[in-house]
Amino acid sequence: MSRSVNIASRLRASARCSPDQPAIVQPRGRGPGGAYRYDVWTFRELDGLSDRLATGLVGMGVRPG
């Protein structure tokens, strides 16, 4: 039987251990000189966004599980 794992707890742990390390790096196209540009979110930013989204979902009646 598989064990259930909550990804949010892993994200929170990463945000505590490495808050300023990149968590997501997403290509955003090319700049005026032709070089690629990227959007970068740190573990701290991603954890905060995750918390805000979870709070909004609970406010709309979505419950864990």
Side-chain angles (χ1 to χ4, degrees), residues 14-35:
S14 294
R16 272 194 312 266
C17 293
S18 305
D20 298 319
Q21 291 296 311
I24 296 176
V25 179
Q26 176 182 354
R28 206 175 77 163
R30 291 181 185 258

Side-chain angles (χ1 to χ4, degrees), residues 1 7 41 44-45 54:
M1 183 182 263
I7 190 68
W41 290 275
R44 180 193 333 256
E45 292 169 325

Side-chain angles (χ1 to χ4, degrees), residues 4-65:
S4 179
V5 177
N6 183 337
I7 190 68
S9 64
R10 298 289 301 227
L11 175 57
R12 177 125 323 141
S14 294
R16 272 194 312 266
C17 293
S18 305
D20 298 319
Q21 291 296 311
I24 296 176
V25 179
Q26 176 182 354
R28 206 175 77 163
R30 291 181 185 258
Y36 282 106
R37 296 183 306 177
Y38 298 90
D39 288 326
V40 179
W41 290 275
T42 65
F43 280 107
R44 180 193 333 256
E45 292 169 325
L46 189 58
D47 186 43
L49 177 59
S50 173
D51 284 345
R52 289 190 300 278
L53 288 171
T55 298
L57 289 169
V58 169
M60 293 187 306
V62 176
R63 300 287 176 244

